[in-house]
Amino acid sequence: MLKTFDLVLIGVMTATAAVTYTIKHRAELKLEEVHRLEAEIKLEKDTIDLLKADWALQSQPNRLERLVNAYNEELQLQPTESTALVHAKELPMLRSEVPVSDTTEAKAGAKGATVASAKAQPVPTPAPRGAAKPGGAAAQHGLVEDNEADEIETGSVE
């Protein structure tokens, strides 16, 4: 007959086998996940290499020169003058850097209107998108409105 000690040993062996199987199964799942992630990384690297090659092809000077010559009348492109370039310190402030007016000035109302207007600083705000008029400065500089930009197709003219 089986003794109690034999039954305990059989239980320990069964539990050990179950734990070993569980660990093996988890390790196989992790290995599959590692292989999947490696495949995704390889795909992303291949995509980056393809995009770099495409960029090199699209930005070839002879191709760009042909496009400029083909669309010169429509675009009226001109070389950028060195005076048109600005330094980073000359750019307007970010919205997060704009000084916030004191709420007590707003509560003062009509009594302190002259004081508040003297302390208030102009806040630069960008024009809403698509607000450029056809005859405005944006049209003179070759910029297009949003609705016109949607109609422009990209592609090569080769």
Side-chain angles (χ1 to χ4, degrees), residues 57 60-72 156-158:
L57 180 68
Q60 287 180 345
N62 58 357
R63 178 184 175 277
L64 293 175
E65 186 176 3
R66 283 196 319 258
L67 290 174
V68 167
N69 291 336
Y71 294 105
N72 193 24
S156 64
V157 184
E158 299 171 305

Side-chain angles (χ1 to χ4, degrees), residues 2-106:
L2 295 172
K3 295 183 179 180
T4 312
F5 183 69
D6 293 338
L7 291 176
V8 170
L9 286 179
I10 291 172
V12 168
M13 284 182 4
T14 306
T16 305
V19 169
T20 304
Y21 176 76
T22 305
I23 292 172
K24 178 182 178 261
H25 182 67
R26 287 182 185 169
E28 288 174 350
L29 291 176
K30 293 294 182 183
L31 185 62
E32 288 176 9
E33 185 179 356
V34 166
H35 288 307
R36 181 184 59 80
L37 290 173
E38 286 175 347
E40 285 182 21
I41 290 170
K42 184 179 181 336
L43 177 66
E44 292 297 324
K45 285 183 178 179
D46 290 346
T47 303
I48 289 170
D49 290 341
L50 180 67
L51 289 172
K52 284 180 180 178
D54 187 43
W55 178 255
L57 180 68
Q58 296 293 326
S59 63
Q60 287 180 345
N62 58 357
R63 178 184 175 277
L64 293 175
E65 186 176 3
R66 283 196 319 258
L67 290 174
V68 167
N69 291 336
Y71 294 105
N72 193 24
E73 291 180 16
E74 288 180 45
L75 299 176
Q76 299 175 356
L77 298 175
Q78 296 176 358
T80 305
E81 296 178 13
S82 61
T83 58
L85 303 176
V86 296
H87 296 286
K89 62 184 175 186
E90 296 173 330
L91 294 175
M93 289 187 266
L94 296 174
R95 284 189 180 180
S96 61
E97 296 174 353
V98 173
V100 179
S101 63
D102 191 16
T103 55
T104 57
E105 291 176 2

